[in-house]
Amino acid sequence: MDSVVSTELIYQTGFGNEFATEALAGALPKRGNSPQKAPHGLYAELLSGTAFTVPRETNRRSWLYRIRPSVVHEPFEQIENGLIRAAPFDNQPVPPNQMRWDPIPMPEAPTDFIDGLVTMMGGGDATSGTGLAVHLYTANTSMTDRFFYNADGEMLIVPQQGRLTLHTEMGVIDVAPNEIAVVQRGIKFRVDVPDGMSRGYVCENYGAALRLPSLGPIGSNGLANPRDFETPVAAFEDREGEFTLTCKMAGNMWSAKIYHSPMDVVAWHGNYAPYKYDLADFNVIGSISFDHPDPSIYTVLTSPSNSAGTANIDFVIFPPRWLVAEDTYRPPWYHRNVMSEFMGLIHGQYDGRKEGFVPGGCSLHNCMSPHGNDAEVYETASDAELQPHYIKDTMAFMFETSMVYKPTKFALETEYRQFDYSDCWQGLQKHFSG
């Protein structure tokens, strides 16, 4: 593949494509991946996100051409984990109760994206390559001289308030509320907060890389379209000084001194790269006769498990959409599920909840824990005139998993937990007339 000069582009589009990009003309070798001397005196470095011998269609790797190789830093030393926790999350019993939390307040002290992470729950085990963890973040300070990479899993970042600027090895990603970004395992990045106060959600994926779900009977179009995903073009920093490189490995946090910016990749090519997606581009598929499709019809990305049809993670959204089904109870039905559901709200109101579930908050309905509409929503929807109705100004989402979520001690005991959550169902009346 010939070099592609893309200094005037912001993003390349497509999901899982083989990209080639350079921030300096001629920085990509014209032949081979690791020439005896790379152009411009750069170092060639291979970043592998999968085992070398996995099938070509699932192999993920990128060649980086950088000013210094990644090995140039001092040894790591363990640092405090703060409120970050890791699987197997066995320090607390797992209650079958439905749980819900208010948003975590914004910090008063200077707090960057990494220091502002709070682990709420998880399942599986990062060291065995299965499962996930769910974190909330709050931040008010940019990571100017601090860099981070996650050796445990890729990070699906869902901003709820305030934009984030992700300076990654492969380029720069600006992500705003109602957009998502994914930074894969091992990729270094730092986070700026251009709006100051920022808050959101992170799904840390220990398993197979997130990908688009198969469409099956839907056909060739619908849901999230590959062309709407954006990957950054090459951009680099040639910056020296005293910096910090933080790593998450096997659940613990580590820090090393580094004397140059690791954002020094001048050119790269491959298909292992961070990306962003605007949730407004999701093409909703729904019923036009009667009854609901299952919520899996709203899946944006999935991390499959080793069991066919069962997801390690499904990232599911509930965006603005038309409801037109006839003779159908239109809000979400009462439900018990072998999959476990963590739900968050980016903006607006979720149609299954009248009160208590607010932007920045979250809820957990674990494996086989019953859930559904509160009493007021049920009564209103049962008597509503069934006309075409557009649900607008909303965006809720789920991190759904085949794992049992194990809440952390913080999640179970924090003052932000709504210990009266179950009260919303106690007003449901007996209507049986048989």
Side-chain angles (χ1 to χ4, degrees), residues 14-346:
F15 188 88
N17 290 348
E18 179 82 13
F19 298 114
T21 172
E22 57 186 11
L24 180 64
L28 276 176
K30 291 185 177 297
R31 181 181 180 184
N33 296 317
S34 55
Q36 184 179 15
K37 288 187 177 181
H40 294 292
L42 299 171
Y43 288 87
E45 181 176 283
L46 176 63
L47 176 62
S48 297
T50 53
F52 296 135
T53 55
V54 301
R56 180 189 289 263
E57 61 269 19
T58 55
N59 201 300
R60 295 290 180 266
R61 64 91 178 95
S62 288
W63 281 94
L64 315 180
Y65 302 92
R66 58 192 318 146
I67 298 172
R68 294 177 180 85
S70 291
V71 295
V72 183
H73 61 76
E74 293 192 3
F76 284 97
E77 297 180 357
Q78 190 169 1
I79 59 176
E80 291 294 325
N81 287 351
L83 288 172
I84 296 175
R85 297 294 180 267
F89 299 99
D90 287 335
N91 58 333
Q92 300 292 322
V94 181
N97 297 319
Q98 308 91 342
M99 286 179 269
R100 190 166 67 186
W101 294 266
D102 291 325
I104 293 179
M106 295 294 185
E108 296 181 1
T111 303
D112 67 24
F113 176 83
I114 301 303
D115 288 337
L117 286 170
V118 176
T119 307
M120 297 296 288
M121 62 195 70
D125 186 355
T127 59
S128 64
T130 59
L132 75 166
V134 174
H135 315 274
L136 306 180
Y137 73 83
T138 53
N140 58 15
T141 302
S142 296
M143 295 169 60
T144 306
D145 295 330
R146 185 186 192 186
F147 305 89
F148 175 76
Y149 75 93
N150 191 337
D152 288 343
E154 67 180 345
M155 300 176 73
L156 166 58
I157 301 169
V158 185
Q160 183 270 318
Q161 178 179 330
R163 293 170 297 152
L164 302 179
T165 300
L166 310 179
H167 297 264
T168 81
E169 292 182 87
M170 273 83 162
V172 182
I173 293 178
D174 290 304
V175 58
N178 218 58
E179 297 177 330
I180 61 168
V182 173
V183 180
Q184 287 86 355
R185 184 193 307 251
I187 293 178
K188 301 181 184 73
F189 67 100
R190 62 179 174 87
V191 181
D192 288 346
V193 285
D195 297 331
M197 296 296 185
S198 301
R199 178 170 57 201
Y201 312 82
V202 175
C203 182
E204 182 184 12
N205 175 23
Y206 304 148
L210 290 163
R211 63 196 67 177
L212 295 176
S214 298
L215 293 181
I218 293 174
S220 59
N221 298 285
L223 309 188
N225 293 309
R227 69 186 297 264
D228 295 325
F229 288 80
E230 299 177 308
T231 300
V233 300
F236 68 95
E237 297 178 348
D238 186 5
R239 187 159 63 105
E240 297 182 354
E242 295 188 3
F243 308 126
T244 299
L245 178 60
T246 302
C247 169
K248 182 174 179 291
M249 166 70 90
N252 291 311
M253 302 295 285
W254 302 79
S255 183
K257 294 180 180 179
I258 187 170
Y259 301 104
H260 67 279
S261 169
M263 308 292 102
D264 64 351
V265 176
V266 180
W268 62 271
H269 76 86
N271 60 3
Y272 191 64
Y275 56 87
K276 65 175 285 188
Y277 176 72
D278 188 340
L279 299 179
D281 291 332
F282 188 80
N283 184 11
V284 180
I285 305 293
S287 175
I288 55 173
S289 56
F290 61 91
D291 282 349
H292 296 264
D294 290 329
S296 51
I297 206 73
Y298 302 118
T299 301
V300 181
L301 294 167
T302 186
S303 166
S305 72
N306 291 329
S307 299
T310 302
N312 181 62
I313 299 171
D314 278 337
F315 174 57
V316 178
I317 65 172
F318 300 98
R321 62 201 183 275
W322 281 98
L323 299 181
V324 298
E326 62 186 7
D327 191 23
T328 298
Y329 179 78
R330 290 183 177 175
W333 13 256
Y334 293 103
H335 185 52
R336 291 179 294 165
N337 191 359
V338 69
M339 300 282 281
S340 300
E341 302 174 1
F342 171 92
M343 179 171 279
L345 184 61
I346 299 172

